[in-house]
């Protein structure tokens, strides 16, 4: 996997890696090195217990942890070897958050995707939801069952023949928030990661149930099978994202470019999504919001994943994840 080079003076990525004993540890990725977060923070006198480190523990104290992590990265850049570290190429990365308390996924939230699907289904062009006074809408994905790391093999669900890919930019919350306005919403975000919101397209609807029935849709079968949300490879702090509303996003299947868009095509901005969700429930550190997928999904082509396929998802500045699918 090609991992992004990191060039900013205070730049770092927050990852969960596997230590030599096989245990997950929070790691600070600086260049091509991974520093154990708890050990480095302990040297600084931070109140992080080195025997129980996790990304969630850091996110719970994000306002304090982030500048400390920046300082560690800056010191390591000035003098490599300041902290004990391992080569990034020599460690296995897990999903960055083990595991989010909640995962919210935005539906129909890229203009190019909505246009593509309207054409594929022979439907009239939909107006901008803002013009209709509509709010963002989301569905939930299971956490531990769905989340998988980059470079892992994912078994396609046996009940589906139409599993589709969906490249998405996801934000990870770093502060608890409730009823926040759009203008202040991004202040509650810790960082950004990459996800692939896999969908079993042939199980969205229950065929034996009337279309107008409230029980017609089967969101669990479509969205919540094992491995349905590859995530990673790390969290890029929001402070290092130049413009969250203009990030390039791409997806390849077996090296063939399928999705090629930008978050400038979002219908509801990330801030609008956070603000709306916070009116419904309290968002907490470690919660993940997948912000929607652009055009280029398999459903518009009648093409779906099969055993042996490799999918790579890349988001500008953040990084990329790669997964291979099996029967």
């Amino acid at each position: 996997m090609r991992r992004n080079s990191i060039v900013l003076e205070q730049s770092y990525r927050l990852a969960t890696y596997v230590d030599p004993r096989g245990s997950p540890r929070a790691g600070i990725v600086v260049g091509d090195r991974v520093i154990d977060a708890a050990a480095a923070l302990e040297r600084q006198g931070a109140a992080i217990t080195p025997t129980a480190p996790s990304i969630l523990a850091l996110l719970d104290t994000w306002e304090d942890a982030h500048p400390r992590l920046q300082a560690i990265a800056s010191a390591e850049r000035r003098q490599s070897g300041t902290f004990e570290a391992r080569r990034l190429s020599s460690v296995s990365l897990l999903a960055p958050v083990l595991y989010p308390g909640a995962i919210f996924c935005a539906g129909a939230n890229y203009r190019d995707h909505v246009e593509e699907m309207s054409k594929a289904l022979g439907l009239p062009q939909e107006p901008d939801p803002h013009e209709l006074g509509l709010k963002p809408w989301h569905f939930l994905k299971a956490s531990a069952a769905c989340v998988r790391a980059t470079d892992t093999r994912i078994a396609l669900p046996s009940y589906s023949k139409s599993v589709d890919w969906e490249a998405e930019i996801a934000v990870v919350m770093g502060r608890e928030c409730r009823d926040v306005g759009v203008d202040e919403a991004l202040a509650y975000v810790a960082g950004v990661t990459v996800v692939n919101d896999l969908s079993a397209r042939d199980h969205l609807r229950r065929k034996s149930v009337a279309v107008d029935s409230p029980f017609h849709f089967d969101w669990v079968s479509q969205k919540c099978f094992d491995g349905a949300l590859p995530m990673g490879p790390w969290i890029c702090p929001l402070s290092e994202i130049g413009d969250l509303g203009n990030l390039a996003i791409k997806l390849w299947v077996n090296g063939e470019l399928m999705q090629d868009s930008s978050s400038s095509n979002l219908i509801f901005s990330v801030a609008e999504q956070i603000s709306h969700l916070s009116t419904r429930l309290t968002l907490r550190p470690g919660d993940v919001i997948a912000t929607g997928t652009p055009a280029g999904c398999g459903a518009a082509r009648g093409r779906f994943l099969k055993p042996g396929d490799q999918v790579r998802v890349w988001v500008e500045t953040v990084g990329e994840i790669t997964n291979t699918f099996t029967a």
Side-chain angles (χ1 to χ4, degrees), residues 63-297:
E63 290 180 272
D64 176 66
H66 177 46
R68 291 179 180 272
L69 296 171
Q70 285 184 313
I72 291 167
S74 182
E76 178 66 19
R77 288 189 176 285
R78 288 194 301 270
Q79 183 175 341
S80 181
T82 300
F83 300 93
E84 183 178 348
R86 295 177 173 84
R87 289 288 180 187
L88 179 58
S89 59
S90 71
V91 301
S92 295
L93 296 182
L94 303 177
V97 184
L98 299 175
Y99 287 97
I103 300 170
F104 304 92
C105 299
N109 198 46
Y110 269 75
R111 297 180 186 89
D112 53 358
H113 180 53
V114 171
E115 291 172 4
E116 174 186 60
M117 293 307 296
S118 294
K119 290 178 182 177
L121 298 173
L123 299 174
Q125 186 63 45
E126 293 190 16
D128 187 323
H130 294 92
E131 298 174 1
L132 303 176
L134 298 176
K135 300 294 184 181
W137 68 276
H138 297 79
F139 55 88
L140 286 162
K141 278 207 167 190
S143 186
C146 293
V147 171
R148 293 293 185 273
T150 186
D151 297 330
T152 57
R153 297 169 70 82
I154 296 174
L156 296 168
S158 59
Y159 62 80
S160 175
K161 302 300 182 185
S162 303
V163 175
D164 203 351
W165 54 84
E166 293 187 28
E168 303 205 16
I169 298 165
V171 293
V172 183
M173 304 305 296
R175 292 171 58 196
E176 186 174 291
C177 69
R178 172 74 180 174
D179 289 321
V180 302
V182 173
D183 291 344
E184 58 182 328
L186 294 184
Y188 294 83
V189 174
V192 182
T193 191
V194 183
V195 301
N196 186 356
D197 174 23
L198 298 170
S199 303
R201 299 289 189 195
D202 49 353
H203 283 272
L204 171 60
R205 296 174 174 82
R206 301 169 68 205
K207 296 179 180 178
S208 59
V209 180
V211 174
D212 58 354
S213 168
F215 309 111
H216 179 63
F217 294 99
D218 184 357
W219 287 98
V220 171
S221 294
Q222 188 200 19
K223 291 289 188 178
C224 291
F225 49 89
D226 286 345
L229 195 75
M231 176 188 298
W234 42 52
I235 297 169
C236 173
L238 185 63
S239 59
E240 297 185 13
I241 300 293
D243 183 357
L244 188 56
N246 192 27
L247 291 178
I249 179 171
K250 300 177 188 288
L251 178 146
W252 296 261
V253 178
N254 301 326
E256 181 181 354
L257 183 63
M258 295 295 185
Q259 293 184 277
D260 184 3
S261 190
S262 163
S263 58
S264 62
N265 283 312
L266 283 170
I267 296 173
F268 291 103
S269 70
V270 176
E272 287 178 302
Q273 293 183 53
I274 294 169
S275 176
H276 175 67
L277 284 169
S278 78
T279 68
R280 300 305 190 253
L281 77 172
T282 301
L283 297 172
R284 303 181 186 280
D287 286 352
V288 171
I289 303 172
T291 59
T293 196
C297 292

